[in-house]
Structure formats: structure tokens, C-alpha cells
Amino acid sequence: MLRGAGPATLKALASLGIATLGDLLLHLPREYEDRTAAVPLSRFMDRKVYTLARVVRHEWFGAGRMRTLKIFIDDGTTEAALLCFNRPFLEEIAPVGSSVIVHGRFQFRFGEIQSSMFELRHTSNGLQLADHLDPVYPLASGISQASLRKLVSSALSKFADHLEDEVPSALRAQYGFPDKSTAIRHLHFPPDGNAAETARRTLAYEELFYFQLGIALRIRARRARTRVRAPFTGVLARKLLDRLPYSLTPDQHKALEAIVHDLTKPYPMARLLQGDVGSGKTIVALLAALHVVERGGQVAIMAPTELLARQHAQTAAHLLEPLGVRLAFVTGSVQSAARPPLLAAIEEGTIDIAIGTHALFSDDIRFRNLQMVIIDEQQRFGVLQRVALYRKGEVPDLLMMSATPIPRSLALSLFGDLEVTTIRTLPPGRKPVITHLAAETRREEVYEFVRKRLAEGRQAYFVYPVISESDRVGLRDAASMADHLGKRVFAEYKVGLLHSRLPDDEKMEVMAAFAAGSIQVLVATTVVEVGVDVPNATVMVIEHAERFGLSALHQLRGRIGRGAHQGYCFLIYSSTITDDARLRLKALYDTVDGFAIAEEDLKIRGPGELLGTEQSGSLRLRIADLQKDLDLLQHAREDAFALVEKDPDFSSPAAKLVAEVLRRASPFADR
Ligand code: ADP
Ligand code: MG
């Protein structure tokens, strides 16, 4: 497809994600180089300079192998120095008195205007102004900027005129987008910056439009899977409500209503219940599950960790068993003797609700009548698992819960096939956690503070990035610190240790002891990040806080402030903290609002890192940038959904074109 390119070039292109001509034409320039106008040296602040200058003198600095030439030039507006690192040959190319063309980035340092990133040429053919900007592409080793430009430009001259428009012309007209040929040309060699941005947005819209069409079609396919539903009255759920020591918040009520309403529809539910840490999603999920149980269906509740699954099982046992609901606990560690009867019960349908880890969906587990799947902390699972679950026969009602609020851009894209319900308010009486940033040197003061809270009867978490010393030298680790804190710092209290490498029953023992208050200080790794609910624990100390991601920190902080007492979070950071990490900690310090934090996290890390490769991989966006193009995303979604709605058979000419494009290159063929 990329004929003419040698194997080395093809390899370099492949590492840039370019395998086809189409990939090449959509290789997005990182920026553009502007040689359409001369820019005087004195204007270097605003932009890259492109100017004709006279060489005024040479100087050398440094000694030995470090000896470096400095060429001073003057273009009539000001004087500047060119630092010729590794380019001593410029001495002969640009002798004093000669005229040169200089193109480069300048800065003001050490009292002069200087550049070490510049190109320099003789004036032989003068200062040639271009009629377009030049693309600056992301590169890989094995291919140069110049050769990539040449490749793109020859591909453009051969193919750009033959590109068909893939967005219906009415839509293009509505947004004032140029045709595809123009957009592709201008993406690479635009006449000016505005044209470049218009081209990018045109192609971004096209990409998002087809992305959204895929979502619209997926929703349509799900809704086509109709079935007859047994009725329910909600009697079981009401019994549970009567037994609760609190009443639901208005948001919890609304969320429950929305879910129950879904359960009356003839097609499967796909709903995301999001709510900040501690907002009370679990009870909503259990109440919803009771409706399914009432009408004879089975429910699976899946949690990302054994610890959390166990906690849910305990909560459920406490709340549901008195109602006669039959529960099972299924994790990878439920093996041997206990397993066969458990599996048999699930298969016979004598279990109503199975609670566990992803082991719930291992091959040997067959449900008799699985009607609803609840996935807690769904941000911990990949999209792929969501799909695997769907393949298990009949499509169940799906309720996903997330405490990492999904930023709007992702709600409209990656999660665009889900209905979203949000619990915004926390249960009454909660006080926002007070967060402190503390340099390492102030650790003793933090300990002192913790000691006071312990004396008042509260409990504390200490979280470390690694389990033991051997995991990463130079970092404080949970095992050594548990020892140190237990023996030296909080000798009068009981200090427990919790991490993922402990045997499961030991984990459960420690957790139970902490929940019961017989352990006052829990030293842990991020295993306590999700779900753990011990309201009497009011202090969280996170060491090497700069090593944790923003949402992990927010989740950790969410372990406290769950009861009536004021919660405190200390983020202890090392002196070697990076700027990025500083931003993260500052964001956490500035707000306790999980939504704001999620948006911030998305900005700092981008969707790839935020979701892990598995989830973000399915986005596969080349041109569009979810944050920058949020407006386009919204429009593309409305337009795509409207098309599917108005013309479900794709019979109009515009829709026919769209259907044809979808057939040719559906990025969703595998979903
Ligand atoms: P999350 O949304 O983070 O999963 P949980 O479901 O674990 O939150 O709830 C956090 C705590 O709040 C639990 O101890 C739960 O019993 C309690 N809770 C839930 N709803 C309410 C409410 N309406 N009023 C008071 N406490 C509540
Ligand atoms: Mg939860």
C-alpha cells in the first residue's frame, strides 16, 4: 500500500502506527513550521524566527572537546548568538561578513538572544517565502522529518483528489467544513494556521461521527434483544428499606427509580451508576437486585478485589439474609471441597445472589437464570471483560458502578452506550476531609497528630507504594514501616499490616480486626484503595504520595470521612517530586470533588493512562482530541444518533453513503 518505501522505512512507519496509505494521510502533524513570512529576530518571543541576517563575529567558548562555536548575527532589528553545539563546520559555512538565512527558535538567556536549535543556509537563492506551512510530524527512529514530508506530499499528489467525502454533505455544510480532499491537504500543508485547525476539526468530526454511529448501532442492537419480563411489586426492596437505620438520600432514590424503570423495559439495561466515594452506591445496587430476585432471577455482583467482594458479601449477608435471600460467595480462592456444591447451587438456581470477583465468570460457573450483573468499581475492569460477560449466553441487565466519576468526554465516547445516573450528594452529616500536604521532613509532626486522634479513640491508615524493601530500594515500604510504627512510633497501639501478597484468610483477619477496632493503625498498600468501609478510621497518611495517580489518591482519601468525625488526609511527598506530581497533589489539595479531580486527571494523564491501555485502546482516535474537541464530540453524537433514529434502514442517499463507509472500514467490526 505504501509502494516505493523500503523495508527500513516501512518499519519506521509501522512504529508510528502507519501501515496503510490511509494511516499516512491521517498522520497528524505535531505542529507547523511557518516560512510564509519573514520574522525579524527581535520578534522571537512570539514565534519561530525566519530571517536574513549578516554574520558579525565568531567567538569560541568551552575547552577541549567541549569547545563550541558561537556565531553572532544581526538582521537589522537586533543581534543574536547561534550556539553551534557539535556543528563546528558552521565556521566555514558562515564566515564573518557573509549573509545567511536563519530559521529557528530563540530565547533570552545570559543577557543575550540566543539559539541552539536553528537551521542556517547561504543566501544563494534568497529568503524564499513559502505559500503554505510545513508539517512537523511525530517521528520514529529510521525516518526523518524531510523524508516523511516527502512521502506524505507524494501520497497527497497521487490520491488527495480522489478521496470521497464520508460525511454527508448536509452536515459538512452545516459546520462549514471543507471537502475531504481539501481537509487532508490542509492537514499537512495548510495555507495558514486557521486552515490547519479547520482541517483538523473536519477530520476529527468525521472520526467522531463514525465512532458515534458505532455506538448508536450497538445500542440499537441491544434494544432489539427483546424479551418478556416477569412483573415485580418491589416488596422485597421495601422490606429492606424498612430495616435500614437511615433513609435514602434524594439522589439515591432517583438512581434506584431509574434502574427499576429499566428493569421494566423489554430489552436489557446498560446503566452506569456513578457517585463519588462514599455516596452510597452499594445499597442502591442491593435494592435494585432485590427486584430481580423477587421475580425469580439470579444476580451476580462482581468486585475487583477479593477484599471488596468479601466486604460486599458481609454487607449483603447482614442486610439480605434476614429477608430469606440466598447468597453465595465466589472467588478464586473458594476451591476444593466447598466449590462443587456452590457451583451446583448456582446452576440449580437455589442461589439468588452470587457475590465475588471476576471468578464469577469463569468457565465452570453456569447460572440457571442470570438476569442481572452488577459490576462494582467498574473503572478497575477493562471494557473487554464487559464484552466477555455479554458472551455468556443471554444478555443480562447490566449495572456498572464507578467511584471515579467519568469525565464528560468519556461518558460521551467510551461509555457512550450506557445510560448514566449520578449520585451527587453524600449522605447527610459527612464533613469534607481536610487535606494537608507535608514534606518528608515534617513526618514527626504528622505522627504526633495521628497519636492525638488515636488517643481520642479514632483509627488511622498509613499507605505506602510498595510492599517490602526488596520491591523498590529507596522507598519506604509497608512491611518495614508496619514494624517501625508498631515498635517505635505507636508502641501503645496495635498496628496491622495489609497487602496483596498476604494469604487471603490473613487479609480477611486483619481487615476484620481493623473494622472491629482491635487494630488501631492499619499499614497498607493500595489494596485499601477501593471499597473499604471503616467509618471510625479518620486519618489517612499516604507516604511517597507523589508516586500515586490522582484518582488512586482520591480513592484512598475516600476511605476516611465516612462517619460523623472529621477526617484528615496527609500527603507526604519526597524532596525529589516532579512538576507533574506537584500538580496532582495540588489538585487533590484544592478539591474534594471527585468530578473535578477526574477532569483534572484526564488533563494531566490523558485517556490512555487514565483507563489503562485496554480501555483506551478501544477508542483508537487519530485526529480527535476528546478534551479539545468536546464540542465536536457532542455534535457528532447528536448527528449520528439522529441519523440512526430518522433513517434506521439507511435508505436516504446520505445514509447510504454512511452505511457504505461503515461496511468498508468499520472500526467496530470486532465489537
Ligand atoms: P460507595 O458509593 O463509595 O460504594 P458505600 O455504598 O460504601 O459508598 O456507602 C458508604 C457508607 O455510607 C456505608 O457505610 C453506607 O452504609 C452508608 N450510607 C449509604 N447510604 C446512606 C444514607 N442514605 N444515609 C446514611 N448513610 C448511608
Ligand atoms: Mg463502593
Side-chain angles (χ1 to χ4, degrees):
M1 281 186 231
L2 295 167
R3 252 173 293 143
T9 307
L10 284 180
K11 202 170 147 218
L13 290 175
S15 67
L16 289 169
I18 301 174
T20 66
L21 181 70
D23 297 338
L24 182 67
L25 290 180
L26 289 176
H27 190 50
L28 183 66
R30 180 158 51 78
E31 57 175 342
Y32 298 90
E33 238 170 53
D34 186 356
R35 297 191 199 221
T36 60
V39 175
L41 262 173
S42 58
R43 299 281 305 281
F44 72 95
M45 282 297 205
D46 306 330
R47 53 203 291 201
K48 220 165 157 181
V49 164
Y50 182 50
T51 189
L52 182 63
R54 179 163 290 277
V55 176
V56 287
R57 67 184 185 278
H58 286 182
E59 274 177 21
W60 292 85
F61 64 99
R65 287 161 44 114
M66 304 295 287
R67 210 167 110 82
T68 300
L69 171 65
K70 202 164 164 181
I71 299 177
F72 285 86
I73 53 169
D74 191 323
D75 74 341
T77 65
T78 188
E79 186 181 284
L82 303 173
L83 309 181
C84 311
F85 294 107
N86 302 317
R87 290 195 275 180
F89 52 84
L90 290 180
E91 182 178 27
E92 281 165 37
I93 292 184
V96 175
S98 66
S99 289
V100 289
I101 290 163
V102 175
H103 183 227
R105 245 177 245 297
F106 286 77
Q107 52 180 175
F108 191 79
R109 285 184 76 196
F110 308 120
E112 64 189 15
I113 300 171
Q114 55 170 238
S115 174
S116 55
M117 299 206 308
F118 61 90
E119 288 166 51
L120 179 153
R121 277 195 287 113
H122 281 297
T123 48
S124 47
N125 39 13
L127 196 64
Q128 283 180 317
L129 297 182
D131 60 356
H132 57 73
L133 309 184
D134 285 311
V136 180
Y137 299 109
L139 290 179
S141 78
I143 192 153
S144 69
Q145 198 60 255
S147 49
L148 193 49
R149 275 181 198 169
K150 223 178 271 166
L151 265 178
V152 171
S153 137
S154 85
L156 282 176
S157 58
K158 271 188 232 149
F159 300 104
D161 286 339
H162 309 294
L163 294 173
E164 287 169 50
D165 284 305
E166 300 189 349
V167 171
S169 53
L171 288 173
R172 265 194 302 120
Q174 181 187 328
Y175 296 106
F177 290 146
D179 59 27
K180 180 138 180 180
S181 298
T182 308
I184 286 277
R185 280 184 201 287
H186 284 183
L187 183 70
H188 299 283
F189 298 100
D192 54 44
N194 285 339
E197 180 57 8
T198 302
R200 194 194 64 79
R201 282 174 61 84
T202 301
L203 297 167
Y205 173 86
E206 178 183 307
E207 189 172 36
L208 294 169
F209 178 73
Y210 279 93
F211 186 83
Q212 292 295 339
L213 265 176
I215 293 174
L217 292 175
R218 235 163 39 234
I219 293 177
R220 194 174 72 173
R222 173 163 52 82
R223 296 196 170 172
R225 303 179 85 126
T226 53
R227 83 257 328 247
V228 182
R229 307 258 216 177
F232 50 69
T233 63
V235 57
L236 265 181
R238 253 191 316 276
K239 275 193 195 152
L240 174 55
L241 277 173
D242 288 344
R243 289 172 43 88
L244 288 179
Y246 51 79
S247 44
L248 296 188
T249 63
D251 278 2
Q252 282 174 315
H253 259 301
K254 260 187 250 155
L256 181 61
E257 259 170 39
I259 298 166
V260 170
H261 184 62
D262 284 351
L263 293 176
T264 63
K265 290 187 185 152
Y267 52 82
M269 157 168 84
R271 187 171 284 277
L272 177 71
L273 174 58
Q274 57 174 4
D276 210 347
V277 177
S279 61
K281 297 182 290 294
T282 316
I283 191 65
V284 173
L286 291 179
L287 287 163
L290 286 181
H291 288 80
V292 175
V293 172
E294 184 196 325
R295 65 178 175 199
Q298 288 177 303
V299 180
I301 303 181
M302 177 163 77
T305 66
E306 175 121 13
L307 201 66
L308 183 53
R310 173 82 58 170
Q311 191 175 280
H312 282 330
Q314 277 159 359
T315 307
H318 173 67
L319 295 173
L320 306 184
E321 268 171 1
L323 306 178
V325 176
R326 297 160 300 179
L327 303 172
F329 181 56
V330 184
T331 69
S333 64
V334 178
Q335 282 300 340
S336 62
R339 200 170 168 88
L342 191 68
L343 299 195
I346 292 174
E347 193 162 355
E348 281 159 24
T350 52
I351 292 297
D352 301 310
I353 302 183
I355 300 171
T357 57
H358 59 274
L360 275 173
F361 296 97
S362 50
D363 287 337
D364 60 342
I365 299 195
R366 280 172 293 273
F367 287 87
R368 183 184 173 82
N369 184 17
L370 181 62
Q371 288 193 5
M372 185 187 211
V373 171
I374 298 174
I375 303 181
D376 194 16
E377 308 287 351
Q378 87 78 33
Q379 75 278 3
R380 290 308 196 84
F381 295 99
V383 166
L384 294 182
Q385 261 154 316
R386 196 162 113 202
V387 174
L389 191 145
Y390 262 31
R391 296 221 177 93
K392 248 184 138 66
E394 195 63 16
V395 177
D397 289 307
L398 179 61
L399 176 64
M400 303 205 278
M401 302 196 283
S402 176
T404 299
I406 290 161
R408 182 146 182 75
S409 52
L410 295 183
L412 290 176
S413 54
L414 199 53
F415 299 94
D417 57 336
L418 305 176
E419 323 261 0
V420 179
T421 310
T422 307
I423 301 183
R424 291 191 183 278
T425 48
L426 298 182
R430 298 273 176 82
K431 301 186 186 78
V433 171
I434 296 173
T435 302
H436 295 284
L437 304 185
E440 276 181 307
T441 47
R442 305 188 53 191
R443 185 178 285 111
E444 290 303 325
E445 291 168 56
V446 176
Y447 291 168
E448 199 45 50
F449 182 92
V450 175
R451 194 171 292 115
K452 284 205 192 99
R453 300 287 87 72
L454 293 175
E456 290 167 9
R458 303 285 81 74
Q459 291 163 277
Y461 296 94
F462 278 76
V463 177
Y464 297 87
V466 291
I467 297 176
S468 66
E469 206 176 349
S470 58
D471 292 322
R472 184 83 187 234
V473 241
L475 290 185
R476 285 173 182 250
D477 62 274
S480 324
M481 287 307 288
D483 194 53
H484 173 74
L485 293 176
K487 289 198 182 117
R488 312 237 175 274
V489 185
F490 304 115
E492 63 275 45
Y493 296 100
K494 192 141 178 3
V495 176
L497 172 65
L498 185 69
H499 58 71
S500 57
R501 273 190 237 140
L502 291 179
D504 285 317
D505 36 346
E506 203 171 316
K507 266 188 232 164
M508 300 310 150
E509 246 168 64
V510 173
M511 212 43 238
F514 188 61
S518 54
I519 285 177
Q520 291 86 36
V521 176
L522 185 64
V523 177
T525 56
T526 47
V527 285
V528 295
E529 179 182 325
V530 291
V532 172
D533 186 26
V534 179
N536 190 49
T538 59
V539 191
M540 160 103 13
V541 180
I542 304 173
E543 292 230 43
H544 300 291
E546 73 278 4
R547 301 199 146 249
F548 295 88
L550 193 45
S551 54
L553 289 170
H554 178 64
Q555 291 279 323
L556 283 169
R557 183 170 62 178
R559 297 309 111 216
I560 52 172
R562 304 193 137 231
H565 300 285
Q566 177 64 54
Y568 301 91
C569 179
F570 292 89
L571 304 171
I572 301 187
Y573 58 87
S574 325
S575 50
T576 55
I577 185 170
T578 63
D579 287 347
D580 246 20
R582 209 177 276 282
L583 274 181
R584 280 203 297 276
L585 299 190
K586 171 112 175 30
L588 208 70
Y589 176 77
D590 286 343
T591 178
V592 289
D593 175 358
F595 284 82
I597 286 171
E599 293 286 353
E600 197 57 35
D601 206 16
L602 191 66
K603 257 188 242 153
I604 299 175
R605 293 200 291 168
E609 273 203 61
L610 189 68
L611 297 160
T613 42
E614 202 172 79
Q615 293 213 10
S616 64
S618 56
L619 274 173
R620 276 179 261 167
L621 295 177
R622 286 181 162 282
I623 307 285
D625 174 317
L626 287 180
Q627 276 90 265
K628 200 157 69 171
D629 300 323
L630 188 59
D631 61 325
L632 284 180
L633 178 63
Q634 241 145 345
H635 287 305
R637 184 173 171 91
E638 280 162 27
D639 298 339
F641 277 54
L643 185 139
V644 173
E645 167 102 359
K646 265 195 274 171
D647 191 359
D649 305 321
F650 290 80
S651 56
S652 72
K656 272 203 183 103
L657 161 83
V658 167
E660 178 53 30
V661 175
L662 278 174
R663 238 191 316 280
R664 263 199 321 249
S666 171
F668 303 98
D670 55 342
R671 288 218 261 163

